[in-house]
Amino acid sequence: MADRVSEVAENDKRIKYLGFVSDKRYYEVLSNADVLINPRNMELLQNQNNFPSKVLEYLATGREVISTKFPGWERFTDNFRFYEGDAEILEKEINSVLSDDLNCHYATNRSKAENYDWSNQVDKIIGLLS
């Protein structure tokens, strides 16, 4: 899809195709984004039973997140906006997010992200073993 995205980006200056980037650049882009999108095709067999770990990174930014529903999505109903459907439905959801307060989930998302922090997870496991 890289060729297709690059072609669309040429005609729409809001779209920037970055391709594969280093971890440092990836986190810079995350921290500068207004909205993060996880558009998983849940009809693909490999997506039906796995959790998209990148949404935890998205959550930690405090930014607005739009996602298709994934296994375990119910735990994030207060944090993400979920959509089901095609590109047109995603476009409507993006426009809806952009017309709202882009920081409305910041505190909630940052707080929830702390639950998934590695050190907190280690403390929970140690607590279970004690």
Side-chain angles (χ1 to χ4, degrees):
M1 290 186 63
D3 291 340
R4 186 170 176 207
V5 173
S6 294
E7 181 182 322
V8 172
E10 287 179 22
N11 297 319
D12 188 334
K13 298 305 174 199
R14 299 173 300 171
I15 300 170
K16 295 176 185 156
Y17 178 68
L18 302 178
F20 182 79
V21 296
S22 67
D23 285 348
K24 180 182 179 190
R25 180 72 176 128
Y26 170 72
Y27 290 112
E28 288 172 357
V29 171
L30 280 184
S31 66
N32 289 314
D34 292 322
V35 179
L36 299 164
I37 302 171
N38 177 45
R40 293 174 64 110
N41 180 350
M42 294 310 295
E43 306 229 350
L44 296 175
L45 184 60
Q46 64 265 30
N47 287 342
Q48 293 178 2
N49 296 309
N50 62 21
F51 181 84
S53 58
K54 69 181 170 187
V55 297
L56 297 178
E57 292 175 342
Y58 291 2
L59 181 72
T61 68
R63 304 292 192 248
E64 293 298 309
V65 179
I66 300 171
S67 179
T68 50
K69 293 179 179 176
F70 49 81
W73 68 271
E74 300 88 351
R75 292 177 283 169
F76 299 93
T77 56
D78 292 336
N79 308 95
F80 300 164
R81 294 179 189 229
F82 291 99
Y83 79 99
E84 295 182 83
D86 56 17
E88 287 78 26
I89 294 172
L90 175 57
E91 178 184 18
K92 288 178 184 175
E93 193 61 41
I94 292 169
N95 288 329
S96 174
V97 167
L98 293 175
S99 69
D100 291 344
D101 175 12
L102 287 176
N103 293 314
C104 69
H105 286 108
Y106 184 83
T108 305
N109 287 359
R110 291 291 299 146
S111 176
K112 178 126 181 169
E114 290 177 10
N115 292 325
Y116 297 98
D117 179 74
W118 178 248
S119 60
N120 288 339
Q121 294 298 315
V122 169
D123 289 344
K124 289 177 186 177
I125 292 170
I126 291 172
L128 290 172
L129 298 174
S130 300

